[in-house]
Each structure stands twice: as structure tokens, then as C-alpha cells.
Amino acid sequence: MDVASVAAVTRAIDAVTVDRVKERHPRAPLHLESSTMPSAPSTASATESLTSAESIRLVLDTVEARNPNEPEFLQAVHEVLESISPVLEAHPEFVDGGILERLVEPERQILFRVPWVDDAGRLQVNRGFRVQFSSVLGPYKGGLRFHPSVNLSIIKFLGFEQIFKNALTGQGIGGAKGGSDFDPHGRSNAEIMRFCQSFMNELYRHLGEHTDVPAGDIGVGAREIGYLFGQYRKVTNRHESGMFTGKGVQWGGAEVRTEATGYGAVFFVEEMLGVHGETLHGKRVGISGSGNVAIYAIDKARQLGATPVTASDSSGYVVDDAGIDVDLLRQIKEVERARISEYAARRPGARYVEGARPWEVPVDVAIPSATQNELDQGDARALIANGVRAVAEGANMPSTPEAIELLQSAGVLFGPGKAANAGGVATSALEMSQNAARQRWSFDDSEAKLRAIMADVHDAAFQAAERYGRPGDYVVGANSAGFERVAHAMLAQGVI
């Protein structure tokens, strides 16, 4: 296709997008211009004379038109924008400055092929992604996920959430996410090493301790981080410790980083309960998942006197009324990489429920820690019927919008993921600080810092909810507090 044809197609796509938005917003002077057809910048705001709600709707319609096949990303954008209308009413300069229009577009999207050779000598090709959403508060920061479900929509949703989560920590880090549709399960160490090296052969050029600092996520643990960091060091000829977090403690990693997301979610529950004069002590806790977040949420809940009674994987869940044995669970999932059913086979009194989720089990506190949209409307009804007091998201967006609405309407304390699971990235920022200073903090010091950060995250969300007329609504509070910090920085740094 020649240049003229490309330009014609681009103009046609933009025209369709404008028409779709104009159908709903005839008052909006929307200018969606192709880079092939430059025009003089308009002196009027694209949202001039619109209310904050109308401005939000206009941006949402534009996002939907531009990203029609990205449901996870659209869900994340809706969840944030629909909750921040009071912030825009209090700060009209955010509307005038086009903050929303800029914020929903990543600063950079990187999509690349990852060729590698398996143990049988066959060529394999996967897709690699890195979406660098916002660097206004600091270098891009967010994990890498290796899982067959990974696509651009999921990476964009995770990166968008990361903007506000990272802002809430107050640690001076931006938002990004990345990964691949590569599945490490069933692969040999040699295959995983070859894949990681090929992945880094492309991604390295976009990373750096002052540019973009990835970490682990689903499918990317200590083994994968080691291979990725090693290849970065090889191709750049630099031992740049601060360019990757989640490293082994022996070679630049931070104490508590492995435990941080799970510990942080439990600390956030303690803070929510503390507002009402309660603690976790003596409460039954339901936790989904059996990976890093779930294991350490179970561990910390037990340390604080609670009884965590469930764990799960994609095959089903186990119930252990005596309390999940963390050491046995870690042996099965981290060492043997076996199914959760093995736990019930080895643990007297535990039972396994195949093909179901754990939310039908009566608990006082629920911490969904597996994956996005795992807790739906039916699950929320079951939790409410069984008297759940608090729900905190250990995973990213594990609750559907309908489930969140039901839980909040029933008076259940609800901690959204961008606040409740911020402990992981907060401790990553602490690891970056230690690397920069060539220091190493003790486990106790690191955990104390993590707990203080989670208390600050809670307080920021709680106070923002009060400030904007939604007391006790941590969804509104977390979104508003994170958005405010990002928006003020964007205004200060100009249109970039």
C-alpha cells in the first residue's frame, strides 16, 4: 500500500471514530486528526462548556471507538473515570488541560516477536509486549506476565491500573506493564532460559533504571527474573541493578519483596478493619490462588491471628478449617509445581472441590488473589449471604463491576486492587532505593517500611473518599487520590 492509500485509510478510520462520538455528543467540538493531515491547533478546549460527567462520557466514547476489541482495558478505564467526576468538578483545570484525553493513551506501546528454539529443536514464536503508560511521576514501573492469556488488552489494563497504584505509594514511579503469551508451565529450565534471553534481546533497548524498571508477575518468578536480568547485563555490558526488581536477595534483591504483595493486602485489610475498631485476630479468611500473592497473604493472616481456610488454582479449591498449612502449600506449588488437589490428599481434614471457586465457603474476610474477574456477581451474593465483613483485592481487577457494586451496597468493606495490592510495587521501589544507595536493609526494617506505606495508601484513599463526599468508598478514594497526584504532575510538566 502506498503512502496516499495509507493516508486515506487513516482518515477514514478517524472519521468513523469522530462520527461515533458525535452521535452521542453533538455539542462536543471534537478534533481527532491524523498525523498525515496536520491542522492548526484549536484554541478552544475539546470539552469546553461540558460538565465533568459529560467530559468523562466523551473520553469514554472515544476510548471505546479506538479500542473496540479490548474488553479488559475498557473495563479498567470505565472503573477509574466513572469514579472521579467529583475530582474534575473540584479541579476544572484538569478538564481544561486535557488530562483524561492524554491519560487514557499510553506514552508508548511496544509489540515484538520472540523467536526461540525448544528442546526438540523446533522453532517457536511468541509475542512480546510492553506498554509504557505514564512516566510523569518517575520511571515506568510494572511487572512482566508470561501466560497464554496475555494480549494487548490485558497488558493495557494492567498498565493503566499501575499508574494509579504506583501514584498511591508515593514512591516516585510511573506506570507500565508487559509480558508475553509464552506459557512457562511444562517447559524445561533450558527452554525458559532461551525464551527469556530472546525476549530481552528486543526489550532491553526500552529499559533502564531511569527509564523503565520491570519486575515479575504471573509466570515470571525468581528463575525468569534471573535469566532476564542476566541477558540485559550481557547485551548492555552494564550491571545496572536498579533496572529490574524482584531479584534474588544475594544479587541485589530486597528482603520482603517476595512476600510484599500478599503481606500488603493483609495489612490493608487490617487498616480497613481498624477504622471500625476491629482486627483480623480470630477471623476466618478466604483466599483464592496458590501463587506468590496467595501464599504470603495466607502466611501473614496466620501471623496476625486469623485462620485462612482456602486456597485454589485453575482446577478447583481446597478448604482446611484448621487453617492452611503454608509450608505444605509452598512445597506443593513452589517446589513440586503440582495441582492444589495434592494439598487435600496430604493434609488430614482438608477437602478438595473440583471445578469451583472458594467464595461459597463462609468467611469473614475474602482476598481474591488469582486473576482478573474471578469474583463475579454470584460469588458476591454468596459472600454476602455468609456474612463477609471485608474484601481486599490481592490480584489485579479480580472482581467484576457488578460484584463490587453488590458488595459495597451490602456495606462490605471493599479494598480495590490498586490500593490493596500496592505492597508489591511499593517494595520494588524500596529495592530500587537500596540499589541506588548500594545498601541492603534487614527483613524487619523492610517489613516495617512496607507496613507504613500500606497505612499511607489506606489513609490517602480513605481521606480522598471523605473529601469527595463518598466516605468509606475505597474505590472512589483510591482512584481519586492516585488521579490527583498524576494530574497535578501532568499539568506542571506541560503538554507532552
Side-chain angles (χ1 to χ4, degrees):
M1 186 178 290
D2 59 23
V3 173
S5 299
V6 171
V9 170
T10 303
R11 287 194 297 272
I13 292 171
D14 285 353
V16 170
T17 302
V18 170
D19 288 343
R20 289 176 63 181
V21 176
K22 281 286 192 179
E23 284 177 7
R24 298 186 188 181
H25 303 279
R27 297 165 53 203
L30 180 67
H31 300 284
L32 197 88
E33 298 158 357
S34 165
S35 60
T36 61
M37 291 292 290
S39 63
S42 172
T43 57
S45 167
T47 52
E48 184 178 8
S49 79
L50 298 181
T51 66
S52 61
E54 289 172 329
S55 299
I56 290 170
R57 187 65 255 172
L58 174 60
V59 173
L60 287 174
D61 287 345
T62 305
V63 172
E64 289 170 1
R66 284 177 168 167
N67 308 276
N69 300 310
E70 298 179 1
E72 296 86 359
F73 175 57
L74 294 177
Q75 180 183 337
V77 173
H78 272 267
E79 190 267 331
V80 172
L81 267 59
E82 289 173 353
S83 69
I84 61 171
S85 184
V87 183
L88 298 182
E89 290 171 4
H91 295 278
E93 68 272 19
F94 293 165
V95 176
D96 296 339
I99 297 300
L100 294 186
E101 291 87 342
R102 288 186 277 158
L103 198 56
V104 297
E105 286 293 331
E107 293 178 7
R108 189 175 295 106
Q109 299 183 68
I110 303 156
L111 173 64
F112 55 99
R113 74 178 180 217
V114 187
W116 58 283
V117 178
D118 66 20
D119 287 344
R122 292 185 297 265
L123 176 68
Q124 305 285 343
V125 179
N126 288 95
R127 276 187 170 179
F129 303 87
R130 188 66 174 173
V131 175
Q132 297 172 328
F133 240 106
S134 174
S135 59
V136 72
L137 294 180
Y140 302 110
K141 188 80 189 78
L144 297 173
R145 175 176 294 191
F146 292 169
H147 192 272
S149 67
V150 165
N151 56 38
L152 186 58
S153 176
I154 287 176
I155 296 300
K156 285 173 68 176
F157 121 63
L158 292 168
F160 187 71
E161 289 275 294
Q162 204 80 43
I163 301 170
F164 309 101
K165 179 191 303 185
N166 293 1
L168 277 171
T169 69
Q171 298 297 298
I173 44 179
K177 205 73 176 185
S180 174
D181 56 3
F182 171 75
D183 187 359
H185 288 97
R187 293 294 182 181
S188 70
N189 286 340
E191 288 176 320
I192 291 171
M193 181 181 71
R194 288 194 291 272
F195 172 81
C196 289
Q197 290 172 342
S198 181
F199 183 87
M200 188 55 74
N201 280 342
E202 171 58 32
L203 190 60
Y204 84 92
R205 67 191 79 241
H206 307 287
L207 306 180
E209 61 183 344
H210 302 298
T211 304
D212 187 348
V213 182
D217 195 88
I218 294 172
V220 180
R223 172 183 56 183
E224 290 78 12
I225 290 171
Y227 294 149
L228 290 163
F229 180 81
Q231 188 67 5
Y232 179 87
R233 184 173 60 81
K234 172 73 172 178
V235 298
T236 63
N237 195 33
R238 294 195 303 270
H239 192 110
E240 195 177 325
S241 293
M243 62 69 54
F244 218 114
T245 60
K247 303 182 295 295
V249 174
Q250 299 83 1
W251 48 279
E255 297 280 5
V256 189
R257 178 60 189 91
T258 302
E259 298 85 354
T261 307
Y263 277 22
V266 174
F267 290 151
F268 195 87
V269 172
E270 277 275 273
E271 293 294 328
M272 289 198 298
L273 293 173
V275 171
H276 301 275
E278 304 175 45
T279 70
L280 267 171
H281 188 81
K283 289 183 167 57
R284 280 170 59 94
V285 180
I287 296 173
S288 64
S290 50
N292 190 62
V293 179
I295 286 172
Y296 291 104
I298 290 168
D299 186 32
K300 182 52 65 176
R302 293 203 71 151
Q303 291 179 31
L304 294 178
T307 304
V309 295
T310 65
S312 69
D313 64 16
S314 58
S315 67
Y317 72 88
V318 293
V319 185
D320 188 345
D321 291 322
I324 296 291
D325 183 329
V326 179
D327 292 335
L328 175 58
L329 181 63
R330 188 181 290 118
Q331 172 66 27
I332 291 169
K333 300 303 292 186
E334 293 187 340
V335 178
E336 300 173 18
R337 301 182 186 272
R339 284 298 187 183
I340 196 69
S341 56
E342 276 297 305
Y343 181 92
R346 301 184 200 179
R347 174 78 164 170
R351 66 185 188 278
Y352 170 65
V353 181
E354 185 175 4
R357 295 186 291 245
W359 311 124
E360 59 193 6
V361 178
V363 293
D364 303 301
V365 173
I367 306 178
S369 305
T371 190
Q372 64 266 12
N373 292 327
E374 60 166 293
L375 196 161
D376 62 20
Q377 201 168 13
D379 298 321
R381 288 197 183 98
L383 286 168
I384 293 165
N386 286 324
V388 72
R389 179 74 176 103
V391 176
E393 295 186 317
N396 291 302
M397 208 170 70
S399 310
T400 66
E402 297 80 11
I404 295 171
E405 184 178 354
L406 268 178
L407 291 165
Q408 291 184 315
S409 297
V412 176
L413 299 173
F414 182 82
K418 61 176 61 66
N421 72 30
V425 74
T427 306
S428 281
L430 297 181
E431 181 176 334
M432 293 164 66
S433 296
Q434 292 173 78
N435 291 155
R438 296 291 191 267
Q439 293 179 348
R440 182 172 170 181
W441 302 336
S442 71
F443 189 98
D444 290 343
D445 285 345
S446 298
E447 184 177 355
K449 287 179 170 65
L450 169 62
R451 186 152 198 169
I453 290 171
M454 294 309 297
D456 289 344
V457 169
H458 171 272
D459 292 349
F462 183 84
Q463 291 164 11
E466 295 257 329
R467 189 163 63 251
Y468 290 112
R470 297 287 293 274
D473 188 333
Y474 289 97
V475 174
V476 169
N479 288 337
S480 299
F483 174 72
E484 280 181 323
R485 294 176 181 180
V486 172
H488 281 302
M490 289 177 71
L491 282 182
Q493 295 177 29
V495 180
I496 53 173

